[in-house]
Amino acid sequence: MTQTPNTEQLRRTVQASLFAALIAAGAFLAVPIGPVPIVLQNMFVLLAGLLLGPRWGLAGVGIYLLAGAIGLPVFAGGTGGIGRMLGPTGGYLLAYLPAVWIVGIVSRKAGGRVMGDVVAMSLGALVIYAMGVPYLKVVTGMSWSRAAAVGMLPFLIGDVLKIAAAVPIARTLRPMTVGRLASHPADGYSRG
């Protein structure tokens, strides 16, 4: 069955919305360990980049952030509002936008290969830390070492585990999300 552009657009919009919901669900599984909680939402952000690509992954993360900014309780611990984006974790939340874009670009350029996915998600995690830790430092007035100690170091092992879990998930789901897009150059996918 050949899909019309409108059908394809609708399918991609639904997928982006589904990832926004998954990111929100990942935020509810929050373990508070200081100003930055342990959450699963960043794993879903990275998966959105792998499975939806840069453009539609960005759309899914944008929907999630917009929902939280207008006050829906989608951020860690069931909170929402623009104040959360201006608080200690705001840099991490805002970093989801460039992170998902980079993951999508790198994964697509690597043709969806396992090592390409690992590199893509590692770069995405680095972007999240590169924006989140300085933002945490500025908002809280912590020293650089203290901000890194509470905003990055406790999460490194968990991020490695999330990436390890995301790779087989992506390999399983990719044929359902990306496989049909090989003929759509606007999304930037090539099997290369």
Side-chain angles (χ1 to χ4, degrees):
M1 178 177 157
T2 305
Q3 293 188 2
T4 66
N6 287 340
T7 303
E8 183 62 23
Q9 182 83 12
L10 176 61
R11 188 173 74 81
R12 300 303 276 166
T13 301
V14 168
Q15 289 175 343
S17 299
L18 175 61
F19 265 95
L22 287 171
I23 296 165
F28 278 97
L29 303 170
V31 178
I33 62 168
V36 182
I38 296 173
V39 292
L40 283 178
Q41 70 195 112
N42 58 336
M43 183 179 83
F44 292 117
V45 168
L46 300 176
L47 272 172
L50 291 181
L51 296 174
L52 302 181
R55 187 177 73 179
W56 287 100
L58 190 66
V61 171
I63 292 167
Y64 165 74
L65 291 175
L66 181 61
I70 64 172
L72 295 177
V74 297
F75 294 149
T79 61
I82 197 75
R84 292 294 288 188
M85 296 178 94
L86 300 174
T89 59
Y92 299 95
L93 292 169
L94 295 174
Y96 289 164
L97 293 168
V100 73
W101 181 263
I102 288 168
V103 170
I105 294 284
V106 172
S107 176
R108 294 287 165 95
K109 289 198 181 293
R113 292 181 186 89
V114 171
M115 280 312 296
D117 287 350
V118 170
V119 169
M121 289 187 289
S122 298
L123 289 172
L126 286 174
V127 167
I128 293 169
Y129 289 128
M131 287 181 66
V133 172
Y135 196 95
L136 176 66
K137 179 210 179 306
V138 169
V139 169
T140 62
M142 292 179 184
S143 67
W144 281 108
S145 59
R146 180 76 179 139
V150 300
M152 182 178 70
L153 296 179
F155 306 101
L156 293 176
I157 292 172
D159 283 347
V160 169
L161 295 174
K162 290 173 193 175
I163 289 170
V167 168
I169 293 169
R171 296 200 60 77
T172 301
L173 296 179
R174 186 174 274 131
M176 293 179 265
T177 58
V178 175
R180 299 180 195 168
L181 295 177
S183 64
H184 294 281
D187 197 45
Y189 181 72
S190 67
R191 293 248 179 223

